[in-house]
Amino acid sequence: MTDKSMKTTLSGDELVVATADGPVRYDQKFLVAALLVHVAKGSGQIEPEESSLMIDLLEEYFHLQAAESLELITYAMNEMRDKPELAASLAELAATLSDRNKEDICLMGLKVVAADGQRKAEEMEQLNGAIEALGIAPDIVHRAFDRYFAETMPDTGEPL
């Protein structure tokens, strides 16, 4: 059973949620993991390629071990399942991120959408909804798309 009225505060770059068992802290790592899980679940289930990529992305971005990345993803999945009202509070945490961090998060989300080799509209809608909920500006999203295409499109040497 969840408490629909969460008491949250920002403490530096952490979101603190008051619970009956004491405060629970969520940081940028959790925010990114939760976003990636949210995007991957857009098609109804998380594909193995998406799971593997999420682990790799978190490992590389936050300099974690693979086991720590997996633990973070599992924690984010469980917390978001058990506390669906937490999603709205994470927008507060997103406000503490730099524009570069927001761009990096968008880029990771795009990579998760494409991880299984299929462009599923549901996953893209999940990403767009998360970007909007987190208040990420359109120019930041545009830069993330530019980076994604620069990384994934072959360079033919010909102008567009």
Side-chain angles (χ1 to χ4, degrees):
M1 184 169 165
T2 62
D3 178 9
K4 296 295 180 196
S5 60
M6 297 181 79
K7 173 136 176 42
T8 63
T9 56
L10 279 177
S11 176
D13 59 356
E14 292 183 320
L15 178 70
V16 182
V17 178
T19 70
D21 298 324
V24 178
R25 298 178 176 276
Y26 301 98
D27 60 9
Q28 180 183 354
K29 292 175 191 173
F30 178 85
L31 174 66
V32 174
L35 174 101
L36 297 179
V37 167
H38 178 74
V39 170
K41 289 178 82 174
S43 62
Q45 67 180 22
I46 299 176
E47 301 297 332
E49 300 90 354
E50 293 166 334
S51 295
S52 178
L53 180 62
M54 288 189 295
I55 291 168
D56 292 345
L57 289 170
L58 293 171
E59 184 178 347
E60 181 181 330
Y61 193 71
F62 293 112
H63 309 286
L64 302 173
Q65 297 296 317
E68 292 173 293
S69 295
L70 177 58
E71 185 178 317
L72 181 58
I73 291 167
T74 303
Y75 178 60
M77 289 174 69
N78 291 335
E79 287 293 284
M80 299 308 289
R81 180 196 64 226
D82 296 344
K83 301 173 186 156
E85 65 278 6
L86 179 60
S89 299
L90 289 175
E92 295 175 51
L93 182 56
T96 69
L97 301 174
S98 70
D99 286 352
R100 180 59 184 211
N101 289 140
K102 292 175 183 178
E103 183 181 325
D104 292 342
I105 291 168
C106 289
L107 178 60
M108 287 186 267
L110 288 168
K111 289 178 178 182
V112 169
V113 168
D116 59 3
Q118 301 175 26
R119 291 179 300 242
K120 295 180 180 150
E122 300 89 354
E123 290 176 349
M124 200 61 210
E125 288 173 11
Q126 291 281 90
L127 177 60
N128 287 334
I131 287 169
E132 185 177 313
L134 296 177
I136 300 175
D139 63 310
I140 294 171
V141 177
H142 183 76
R143 287 195 308 262
F145 270 90
D146 285 347
R147 285 175 57 197
Y148 176 78
F149 288 120
E151 289 179 17
T152 59
M153 297 296 290
D155 183 13
T156 62
E158 297 177 23
L160 296 177

